[in-house]
Amino acid sequence: SEDNVVWNDNRDGNFNVYLFNTTTNEETQITKDSFEHSSPDISNRNLIWTDKSLGNLQIFLYNLSTKETKQVTTDPSDHRYGMIDGNSIIWIDQRSGGEQIYLYDITTGQEKQVTTVQSMKLSPVIDKDRIVWIDSRSGEDKWDLYLINLTTGKETAICTDPSRQAQPWIWG
């Protein structure tokens, strides 16, 4: 994915997903339908996006090598903030009655719930075996930064300053 850029644009009247290879200077339209697509992300040879083609926000996976599309999420809740890193796709949904972070392993096809605390969650970001996100468990107007190590299962509060934290990122 080092040579690829993904985005949405509405040049055909609906927001579809496009890919541009910076080595070959080739642009490819990935989605070609009348549904609004959003939040594309790419890692290695896999690309994801979210759309409402089935009535609610679902996450779809497109393999650049096989050119096959697969629906990743299937339950009736909206799936927001999708992100991919390597063979892991993460997102937030409310199927358990509150916002939780879920992970889908592309290699095994297995999905698992990552978080369990009932709270509003925003902006999850994954890098290898770590996920960071914004969490309101300390109060509705209090946004804190949390990290979970997927290998150990250990969750850590990174910043719980009284001010609001926002837009976390992790790398390395």
Side-chain angles (χ1 to χ4, degrees):
S1 63
E2 301 90 27
D3 298 333
N4 293 308
V5 178
V6 295
W7 74 96
N8 304 334
D9 82 36
N10 66 347
R11 68 180 81 171
D12 297 325
N14 296 298
F15 279 95
N16 277 293
V17 177
Y18 289 82
L19 174 112
F20 183 81
N21 184 291
T22 59
T23 301
T24 65
N25 289 324
E26 182 181 337
E27 180 181 284
T28 306
Q29 185 175 356
I30 303 297
T31 60
K32 300 174 184 168
D33 55 46
S34 62
F35 297 101
E36 301 290 332
H37 304 81
S38 61
S39 306
D41 193 16
I42 190 168
S43 182
N44 299 325
R45 302 297 297 160
N46 291 303
L47 184 153
I48 64 166
W49 69 86
T50 304
D51 74 41
K52 284 190 166 187
S53 60
L54 301 172
N56 60 319
L57 286 172
Q58 297 288 352
I59 296 175
F60 292 85
L61 169 68
Y62 179 83
N63 183 288
L64 296 173
S65 299
T66 65
K67 299 187 179 354
E68 292 180 1
T69 300
K70 175 182 180 174
Q71 183 179 349
V72 173
T73 55
T74 57
D75 65 89
S77 65
D78 281 340
H79 305 85
R80 298 177 294 113
Y81 302 110
M83 178 168 239
I84 186 170
D85 183 60
N87 287 315
S88 298
I89 301 170
I90 61 167
W91 67 89
I92 294 173
D93 75 41
Q94 296 184 348
R95 76 178 87 163
S96 65
E99 293 182 336
Q100 300 299 343
I101 297 174
Y102 290 83
L103 180 140
Y104 176 83
D105 184 308
I106 296 169
T107 304
T108 66
Q110 298 295 308
E111 177 187 304
K112 71 176 182 178
Q113 184 174 332
V114 175
T115 57
T116 57
V117 173
Q118 295 292 326
S119 59
M120 179 193 74
K121 294 173 181 64
L122 296 169
S123 307
V125 176
I126 185 169
D127 182 58
K128 300 175 190 75
D129 67 343
R130 298 168 302 154
I131 300 172
V132 293
W133 72 95
I134 300 302
D135 196 301
S136 72
R137 68 181 67 180
S138 298
E140 186 175 319
D141 291 329
K142 177 88 171 61
W143 297 355
D144 297 324
L145 175 60
Y146 282 83
L147 174 141
I148 190 163
N149 181 305
L150 297 170
T151 302
T152 65
K154 183 177 183 201
E155 187 176 289
T156 305
I158 300 296
C159 184
T160 58
D161 185 85
S163 63
R164 283 185 170 188
Q165 286 72 58
Q167 299 177 328
W169 203 261
I170 188 168
W171 181 81

